[in-house]
PDB file of all heavy atoms in Angstrom:
ATOM      1  N   TRP A   9     -40.186 -58.292-100.252  1.00 62.00           N
ATOM      2  CA  TRP A   9     -39.573 -59.353 -99.531  1.00 62.00           C
ATOM      3  C   TRP A   9     -40.450 -59.591 -98.236  1.00 62.00           C
ATOM      4  O   TRP A   9     -40.715 -58.653 -97.520  1.00 62.00           O
ATOM      5  CB  TRP A   9     -38.122 -58.950 -99.075  1.00 62.00           C
ATOM      6  CG  TRP A   9     -38.033 -57.789 -98.146  1.00 62.00           C
ATOM      7  CD1 TRP A   9     -38.267 -56.514 -98.437  1.00 62.00           C
ATOM      8  CD2 TRP A   9     -37.778 -57.857 -96.754  1.00 62.00           C
ATOM      9  NE1 TRP A   9     -38.094 -55.684 -97.300  1.00 62.00           N
ATOM     10  CE2 TRP A   9     -37.853 -56.466 -96.223  1.00 62.00           C
ATOM     11  CE3 TRP A   9     -37.456 -58.829 -95.869  1.00 62.00           C
ATOM     12  CZ2 TRP A   9     -37.549 -56.200 -94.934  1.00 62.00           C
ATOM     13  CZ3 TRP A   9     -37.207 -58.513 -94.561  1.00 62.00           C
ATOM     14  CH2 TRP A   9     -37.310 -57.177 -94.075  1.00 62.00           C
ATOM     15  N   PRO A  11     -42.824 -59.616 -95.384  1.00 89.00           N
ATOM     16  CA  PRO A  11     -43.936 -58.647 -95.024  1.00 89.00           C
ATOM     17  C   PRO A  11     -43.724 -57.289 -95.701  1.00 89.00           C
ATOM     18  O   PRO A  11     -42.644 -56.948 -96.102  1.00 89.00           O
ATOM     19  CB  PRO A  11     -43.844 -58.526 -93.545  1.00 89.00           C
ATOM     20  CG  PRO A  11     -42.391 -58.860 -93.274  1.00 89.00           C
ATOM     21  CD  PRO A  11     -41.909 -59.842 -94.303  1.00 89.00           C
ATOM     22  N   LEU A  13     -43.031 -53.536 -96.099  1.00 94.00           N
ATOM     23  CA  LEU A  13     -42.125 -52.520 -95.439  1.00 94.00           C
ATOM     24  C   LEU A  13     -42.391 -51.230 -96.221  1.00 94.00           C
ATOM     25  O   LEU A  13     -41.970 -51.046 -97.344  1.00 94.00           O
ATOM     26  CB  LEU A  13     -40.698 -52.911 -95.454  1.00 94.00           C
ATOM     27  CG  LEU A  13     -39.692 -51.889 -94.938  1.00 94.00           C
ATOM     28  CD1 LEU A  13     -39.981 -51.526 -93.513  1.00 94.00           C
ATOM     29  CD2 LEU A  13     -38.233 -52.519 -95.049  1.00 94.00           C
ATOM     30  N   PHE A  14     -43.127 -50.361 -95.565  1.00 97.00           N
ATOM     31  CA  PHE A  14     -43.637 -49.099 -96.161  1.00 97.00           C
ATOM     32  C   PHE A  14     -42.716 -47.892 -95.757  1.00 97.00           C
ATOM     33  O   PHE A  14     -42.316 -47.840 -94.643  1.00 97.00           O
ATOM     34  CB  PHE A  14     -45.074 -48.847 -95.705  1.00 97.00           C
ATOM     35  CG  PHE A  14     -45.582 -47.436 -96.088  1.00 97.00           C
ATOM     36  CD1 PHE A  14     -46.169 -47.257 -97.300  1.00 97.00           C
ATOM     37  CD2 PHE A  14     -45.532 -46.378 -95.229  1.00 97.00           C
ATOM     38  CE1 PHE A  14     -46.681 -46.028 -97.615  1.00 97.00           C
ATOM     39  CE2 PHE A  14     -46.036 -45.137 -95.468  1.00 97.00           C
ATOM     40  CZ  PHE A  14     -46.632 -45.007 -96.729  1.00 97.00           C
ATOM     41  N   LYS A  15     -42.423 -47.069 -96.762  1.00 97.00           N
ATOM     42  CA  LYS A  15     -41.610 -45.843 -96.421  1.00 97.00           C
ATOM     43  C   LYS A  15     -42.276 -44.655 -97.218  1.00 97.00           C
ATOM     44  O   LYS A  15     -42.476 -44.808 -98.353  1.00 97.00           O
ATOM     45  CB  LYS A  15     -40.180 -46.016 -96.756  1.00 97.00           C
ATOM     46  CG  LYS A  15     -39.383 -44.813 -96.577  1.00 97.00           C
ATOM     47  CD  LYS A  15     -37.996 -44.976 -97.091  1.00 97.00           C
ATOM     48  CE  LYS A  15     -37.277 -43.600 -97.296  1.00 97.00           C
ATOM     49  NZ  LYS A  15     -36.227 -43.651 -98.339  1.00 97.00           N
ATOM     50  N   THR A  17     -42.146 -39.981 -96.798  1.00 98.00           N
ATOM     51  CA  THR A  17     -41.432 -38.835 -96.109  1.00 98.00           C
ATOM     52  C   THR A  17     -42.439 -37.803 -95.707  1.00 98.00           C
ATOM     53  O   THR A  17     -43.317 -37.459 -96.468  1.00 98.00           O
ATOM     54  CB  THR A  17     -40.447 -38.194 -97.164  1.00 98.00           C
ATOM     55  OG1 THR A  17     -39.546 -39.248 -97.689  1.00 98.00           O
ATOM     56  CG2 THR A  17     -39.692 -37.095 -96.498  1.00 98.00           C
ATOM     57  N   ILE A  18     -42.272 -37.434 -94.450  1.00 98.00           N
ATOM     58  CA  ILE A  18     -43.148 -36.392 -93.939  1.00 98.00           C
ATOM     59  C   ILE A  18     -42.548 -35.025 -94.252  1.00 98.00           C
ATOM     60  O   ILE A  18     -41.352 -34.940 -94.425  1.00 98.00           O
ATOM     61  CB  ILE A  18     -43.490 -36.514 -92.478  1.00 98.00           C
ATOM     62  CG1 ILE A  18     -42.281 -36.346 -91.590  1.00 98.00           C
ATOM     63  CG2 ILE A  18     -44.145 -37.921 -92.198  1.00 98.00           C
ATOM     64  CD1 ILE A  18     -42.568 -36.245 -90.026  1.00 98.00           C
ATOM     65  N   ARG A  25     -43.302 -30.075 -85.986  1.00 97.00           N
ATOM     66  CA  ARG A  25     -44.441 -30.233 -85.106  1.00 97.00           C
ATOM     67  C   ARG A  25     -44.280 -31.374 -84.137  1.00 97.00           C
ATOM     68  O   ARG A  25     -44.608 -31.289 -83.008  1.00 97.00           O
ATOM     69  CB  ARG A  25     -45.727 -30.281 -85.862  1.00 97.00           C
ATOM     70  CG  ARG A  25     -46.183 -29.093 -86.562  1.00 97.00           C
ATOM     71  CD  ARG A  25     -47.394 -29.285 -87.420  1.00 97.00           C
ATOM     72  NE  ARG A  25     -48.551 -29.665 -86.589  1.00 97.00           N
ATOM     73  CZ  ARG A  25     -49.636 -30.326 -87.129  1.00 97.00           C
ATOM     74  NH1 ARG A  25     -49.700 -30.641 -88.357  1.00 97.00           N
ATOM     75  NH2 ARG A  25     -50.624 -30.658 -86.330  1.00 97.00           N
ATOM     76  N   GLN A  36     -38.111 -45.857 -70.390  1.00 82.00           N
ATOM     77  CA  GLN A  36     -36.881 -46.672 -70.721  1.00 82.00           C
ATOM     78  C   GLN A  36     -36.958 -48.109 -70.183  1.00 82.00           C
ATOM     79  O   GLN A  36     -36.584 -49.066 -70.867  1.00 82.00           O
ATOM     80  CB  GLN A  36     -35.659 -45.996 -70.116  1.00 82.00           C
ATOM     81  CG  GLN A  36     -34.385 -46.678 -70.282  1.00 82.00           C
ATOM     82  CD  GLN A  36     -33.215 -45.978 -69.587  1.00 82.00           C
ATOM     83  OE1 GLN A  36     -33.395 -45.192 -68.686  1.00 82.00           O
ATOM     84  NE2 GLN A  36     -32.045 -46.265 -70.015  1.00 82.00           N
ATOM     85  N   LEU A  39     -38.926 -50.540 -72.635  1.00 78.00           N
ATOM     86  CA  LEU A  39     -38.541 -50.787 -74.062  1.00 78.00           C
ATOM     87  C   LEU A  39     -37.261 -51.631 -74.092  1.00 78.00           C
ATOM     88  O   LEU A  39     -36.515 -51.763 -73.139  1.00 78.00           O
ATOM     89  CB  LEU A  39     -38.352 -49.349 -74.696  1.00 78.00           C
ATOM     90  CG  LEU A  39     -39.664 -48.528 -74.694  1.00 78.00           C
ATOM     91  CD1 LEU A  39     -39.215 -47.143 -75.163  1.00 78.00           C
ATOM     92  CD2 LEU A  39     -40.687 -49.177 -75.516  1.00 78.00           C
ATOM     93  N   SER A  51     -50.091 -40.068 -77.991  1.00 95.00           N
ATOM     94  CA  SER A  51     -50.421 -40.749 -79.262  1.00 95.00           C
ATOM     95  C   SER A  51     -51.462 -39.995 -80.072  1.00 95.00           C
ATOM     96  O   SER A  51     -51.330 -39.830 -81.247  1.00 95.00           O
ATOM     97  CB  SER A  51     -50.916 -42.154 -78.918  1.00 95.00           C
ATOM     98  OG  SER A  51     -49.873 -43.006 -78.533  1.00 95.00           O
ATOM     99  N   PHE A  54     -49.709 -37.029 -81.780  1.00 97.00           N
ATOM    100  CA  PHE A  54     -48.841 -37.603 -82.845  1.00 97.00           C
ATOM    101  C   PHE A  54     -49.701 -38.005 -84.035  1.00 97.00           C
ATOM    102  O   PHE A  54     -49.391 -37.669 -85.154  1.00 97.00           O
ATOM    103  CB  PHE A  54     -47.998 -38.741 -82.370  1.00 97.00           C
ATOM    104  CG  PHE A  54     -47.162 -39.486 -83.405  1.00 97.00           C
ATOM    105  CD1 PHE A  54     -46.074 -38.875 -83.875  1.00 97.00           C
ATOM    106  CD2 PHE A  54     -47.587 -40.689 -83.920  1.00 97.00           C
ATOM    107  CE1 PHE A  54     -45.359 -39.575 -84.917  1.00 97.00           C
ATOM    108  CE2 PHE A  54     -46.852 -41.327 -84.868  1.00 97.00           C
ATOM    109  CZ  PHE A  54     -45.673 -40.778 -85.398  1.00 97.00           C
ATOM    110  N   ALA A  64     -51.532 -43.318 -98.116  1.00 98.00           N
ATOM    111  CA  ALA A  64     -50.525 -43.981 -98.977  1.00 98.00           C
ATOM    112  C   ALA A  64     -50.209 -45.415 -98.462  1.00 98.00           C
ATOM    113  O   ALA A  64     -50.010 -46.358 -99.241  1.00 98.00           O
ATOM    114  CB  ALA A  64     -49.298 -43.108 -99.050  1.00 98.00           C
ATOM    115  N   TYR A  73     -50.717 -57.079-100.352  1.00 91.00           N
ATOM    116  CA  TYR A  73     -51.418 -58.208 -99.862  1.00 91.00           C
ATOM    117  C   TYR A  73     -52.628 -58.555-100.737  1.00 91.00           C
ATOM    118  O   TYR A  73     -53.245 -59.651-100.636  1.00 91.00           O
ATOM    119  CB  TYR A  73     -51.965 -57.944 -98.399  1.00 91.00           C
ATOM    120  CG  TYR A  73     -50.826 -57.886 -97.393  1.00 91.00           C
ATOM    121  CD1 TYR A  73     -50.577 -56.752 -96.785  1.00 91.00           C
ATOM    122  CD2 TYR A  73     -49.980 -59.022 -97.131  1.00 91.00           C
ATOM    123  CE1 TYR A  73     -49.508 -56.645 -95.857  1.00 91.00           C
ATOM    124  CE2 TYR A  73     -49.018 -58.938 -96.261  1.00 91.00           C
ATOM    125  CZ  TYR A  73     -48.730 -57.782 -95.572  1.00 91.00           C
ATOM    126  OH  TYR A  73     -47.724 -57.721 -94.619  1.00 91.00           O
ATOM    127  N   ARG A  85     -49.645 -46.148 -78.781  1.00 95.00           N
ATOM    128  CA  ARG A  85     -48.579 -45.978 -77.924  1.00 95.00           C
ATOM    129  C   ARG A  85     -47.403 -45.302 -78.693  1.00 95.00           C
ATOM    130  O   ARG A  85     -47.024 -45.774 -79.777  1.00 95.00           O
ATOM    131  CB  ARG A  85     -48.110 -47.281 -77.394  1.00 95.00           C
ATOM    132  CG  ARG A  85     -46.917 -47.137 -76.327  1.00 95.00           C
ATOM    133  CD  ARG A  85     -46.651 -48.425 -75.705  1.00 95.00           C
ATOM    134  NE  ARG A  85     -45.678 -48.285 -74.589  1.00 95.00           N
ATOM    135  CZ  ARG A  85     -44.894 -49.209 -74.227  1.00 95.00           C
ATOM    136  NH1 ARG A  85     -44.960 -50.374 -74.596  1.00 95.00           N
ATOM    137  NH2 ARG A  85     -44.053 -48.903 -73.218  1.00 95.00           N
ATOM    138  N   SER A  92     -27.787 -41.220 -78.196  1.00 94.00           N
ATOM    139  CA  SER A  92     -26.492 -40.491 -78.064  1.00 94.00           C
ATOM    140  C   SER A  92     -25.447 -41.565 -78.427  1.00 94.00           C
ATOM    141  O   SER A  92     -25.698 -42.763 -78.559  1.00 94.00           O
ATOM    142  CB  SER A  92     -26.320 -40.073 -76.629  1.00 94.00           C
ATOM    143  OG  SER A  92     -27.304 -39.133 -76.309  1.00 94.00           O
ATOM    144  N   GLY A  94     -23.068 -44.545 -78.466  1.00 94.00           N
ATOM    145  CA  GLY A  94     -23.057 -45.761 -77.709  1.00 94.00           C
ATOM    146  C   GLY A  94     -24.426 -46.388 -77.586  1.00 94.00           C
ATOM    147  O   GLY A  94     -24.566 -47.546 -77.225  1.00 94.00           O
ATOM    148  N   PHE A  96     -28.034 -47.972 -78.532  1.00 90.00           N
ATOM    149  CA  PHE A  96     -28.469 -48.916 -79.546  1.00 90.00           C
ATOM    150  C   PHE A  96     -29.746 -49.521 -79.260  1.00 90.00           C
ATOM    151  O   PHE A  96     -30.280 -49.488 -78.038  1.00 90.00           O
ATOM    152  CB  PHE A  96     -27.331 -49.945 -79.907  1.00 90.00           C
ATOM    153  CG  PHE A  96     -27.142 -50.910 -78.742  1.00 90.00           C
ATOM    154  CD1 PHE A  96     -27.820 -52.203 -78.771  1.00 90.00           C
ATOM    155  CD2 PHE A  96     -26.291 -50.613 -77.690  1.00 90.00           C
ATOM    156  CE1 PHE A  96     -27.563 -53.056 -77.718  1.00 90.00           C
ATOM    157  CE2 PHE A  96     -26.072 -51.547 -76.659  1.00 90.00           C
ATOM    158  CZ  PHE A  96     -26.767 -52.799 -76.680  1.00 90.00           C
ATOM    159  N   ASN A  97     -30.368 -50.167 -80.125  1.00 91.00           N
ATOM    160  CA  ASN A  97     -31.589 -50.960 -79.961  1.00 91.00           C
ATOM    161  C   ASN A  97     -31.271 -52.354 -80.464  1.00 91.00           C
ATOM    162  O   ASN A  97     -30.968 -52.586 -81.599  1.00 91.00           O
ATOM    163  CB  ASN A  97     -32.768 -50.389 -80.779  1.00 91.00           C
ATOM    164  CG  ASN A  97     -33.931 -50.025 -79.990  1.00 91.00           C
ATOM    165  OD1 ASN A  97     -34.190 -50.742 -79.002  1.00 91.00           O
ATOM    166  ND2 ASN A  97     -34.643 -49.005 -80.317  1.00 91.00           N
ATOM    167  N   ASP A 106     -50.678 -54.040 -84.102  1.00 97.00           N
ATOM    168  CA  ASP A 106     -50.646 -54.732 -85.393  1.00 97.00           C
ATOM    169  C   ASP A 106     -49.565 -54.271 -86.285  1.00 97.00           C
ATOM    170  O   ASP A 106     -48.948 -55.089 -86.967  1.00 97.00           O
ATOM    171  CB  ASP A 106     -52.014 -54.502 -86.130  1.00 97.00           C
ATOM    172  CG  ASP A 106     -53.213 -55.078 -85.389  1.00 97.00           C
ATOM    173  OD1 ASP A 106     -53.226 -56.242 -85.115  1.00 97.00           O
ATOM    174  OD2 ASP A 106     -54.197 -54.329 -85.051  1.00 97.00           O
ATOM    175  N   SER A 109     -44.083 -48.291 -86.260  1.00 98.00           N
ATOM    176  CA  SER A 109     -43.559 -47.322 -87.117  1.00 98.00           C
ATOM    177  C   SER A 109     -42.402 -46.523 -86.461  1.00 98.00           C
ATOM    178  O   SER A 109     -42.216 -46.668 -85.265  1.00 98.00           O
ATOM    179  CB  SER A 109     -44.713 -46.266 -87.512  1.00 98.00           C
ATOM    180  OG  SER A 109     -45.046 -45.482 -86.317  1.00 98.00           O
ATOM    181  N   GLY A 128     -18.064 -51.688 -93.691  1.00 80.00           N
ATOM    182  CA  GLY A 128     -18.643 -53.066 -93.421  1.00 80.00           C
ATOM    183  C   GLY A 128     -19.753 -53.392 -94.398  1.00 80.00           C
ATOM    184  O   GLY A 128     -20.058 -52.717 -95.323  1.00 80.00           O
ATOM    185  N   GLY A 132     -24.297 -49.791 -91.430  1.00 90.00           N
ATOM    186  CA  GLY A 132     -23.384 -49.227 -90.589  1.00 90.00           C
ATOM    187  C   GLY A 132     -23.964 -48.434 -89.399  1.00 90.00           C
ATOM    188  O   GLY A 132     -25.153 -48.589 -89.061  1.00 90.00           O
ATOM    189  N   THR A 145     -29.659 -68.709 -99.876  1.00 77.00           N
ATOM    190  CA  THR A 145     -29.214 -68.299-101.163  1.00 77.00           C
ATOM    191  C   THR A 145     -30.350 -67.779-101.909  1.00 77.00           C
ATOM    192  O   THR A 145     -31.419 -68.336-101.942  1.00 77.00           O
ATOM    193  CB  THR A 145     -28.573 -69.560-101.908  1.00 77.00           C
ATOM    194  OG1 THR A 145     -27.487 -70.047-101.105  1.00 77.00           O
ATOM    195  CG2 THR A 145     -28.018 -69.114-103.282  1.00 77.00           C
ATOM    196  N   ALA A 151     -32.965 -55.928 -94.674  1.00 87.00           N
ATOM    197  CA  ALA A 151     -33.029 -54.617 -95.346  1.00 87.00           C
ATOM    198  C   ALA A 151     -32.482 -53.572 -94.393  1.00 87.00           C
ATOM    199  O   ALA A 151     -32.791 -53.663 -93.149  1.00 87.00           O
ATOM    200  CB  ALA A 151     -34.508 -54.231 -95.659  1.00 87.00           C
ATOM    201  N   GLY A 158     -37.162 -37.003 -91.708  1.00 98.00           N
ATOM    202  CA  GLY A 158     -38.448 -37.030 -92.429  1.00 98.00           C
ATOM    203  C   GLY A 158     -38.925 -38.422 -92.856  1.00 98.00           C
ATOM    204  O   GLY A 158     -40.094 -38.629 -93.171  1.00 98.00           O
ATOM    205  N   PRO A 164     -44.981 -54.489 -89.987  1.00 97.00           N
ATOM    206  CA  PRO A 164     -45.681 -55.386 -89.146  1.00 97.00           C
ATOM    207  C   PRO A 164     -45.013 -55.474 -87.782  1.00 97.00           C
ATOM    208  O   PRO A 164     -43.779 -55.512 -87.724  1.00 97.00           O
ATOM    209  CB  PRO A 164     -45.727 -56.734 -89.881  1.00 97.00           C
ATOM    210  CG  PRO A 164     -45.539 -56.422 -91.297  1.00 97.00           C
ATOM    211  CD  PRO A 164     -44.644 -55.200 -91.291  1.00 97.00           C
ATOM    212  N   GLN A 172     -28.051 -50.009 -85.061  1.00 91.00           N
ATOM    213  CA  GLN A 172     -26.701 -50.118 -84.754  1.00 91.00           C
ATOM    214  C   GLN A 172     -26.215 -48.998 -83.865  1.00 91.00           C
ATOM    215  O   GLN A 172     -26.651 -47.869 -84.009  1.00 91.00           O
ATOM    216  CB  GLN A 172     -25.884 -49.996 -86.128  1.00 91.00           C
ATOM    217  CG  GLN A 172     -26.171 -51.041 -87.185  1.00 91.00           C
ATOM    218  CD  GLN A 172     -25.423 -52.353 -86.830  1.00 91.00           C
ATOM    219  OE1 GLN A 172     -25.144 -52.761 -85.714  1.00 91.00           O
ATOM    220  NE2 GLN A 172     -25.027 -53.112 -87.896  1.00 91.00           N
ATOM    221  N   TRP A 189     -55.431 -51.871 -85.737  1.00 97.00           N
ATOM    222  CA  TRP A 189     -56.516 -51.659 -86.679  1.00 97.00           C
ATOM    223  C   TRP A 189     -57.792 -51.307 -85.950  1.00 97.00           C
ATOM    224  O   TRP A 189     -58.118 -51.999 -84.892  1.00 97.00           O
ATOM    225  CB  TRP A 189     -56.812 -52.961 -87.507  1.00 97.00           C
ATOM    226  CG  TRP A 189     -55.746 -53.275 -88.474  1.00 97.00           C
ATOM    227  CD1 TRP A 189     -55.019 -54.498 -88.451  1.00 97.00           C
ATOM    228  CD2 TRP A 189     -55.415 -52.619 -89.695  1.00 97.00           C
ATOM    229  NE1 TRP A 189     -54.251 -54.508 -89.556  1.00 97.00           N
ATOM    230  CE2 TRP A 189     -54.374 -53.370 -90.325  1.00 97.00           C
ATOM    231  CE3 TRP A 189     -55.754 -51.391 -90.176  1.00 97.00           C
ATOM    232  CZ2 TRP A 189     -53.771 -52.970 -91.484  1.00 97.00           C
ATOM    233  CZ3 TRP A 189     -55.139 -50.969 -91.373  1.00 97.00           C
ATOM    234  CH2 TRP A 189     -54.116 -51.672 -92.031  1.00 97.00           C
TER     235      TRP A 189
END
Side-chain angles (χ1 to χ4, degrees):
W9 64 288
L13 175 56
F14 170 87
K15 176 188 159 201
T17 303
I18 68 169
R25 287 177 63 202
Q36 180 183 18
L39 300 172
S51 289
F54 173 75
Y73 293 112
R85 186 171 186 203
S92 298
F96 67 95
N97 236 325
D106 297 305
S109 69
T145 303
Q172 299 278 34
W189 291 118

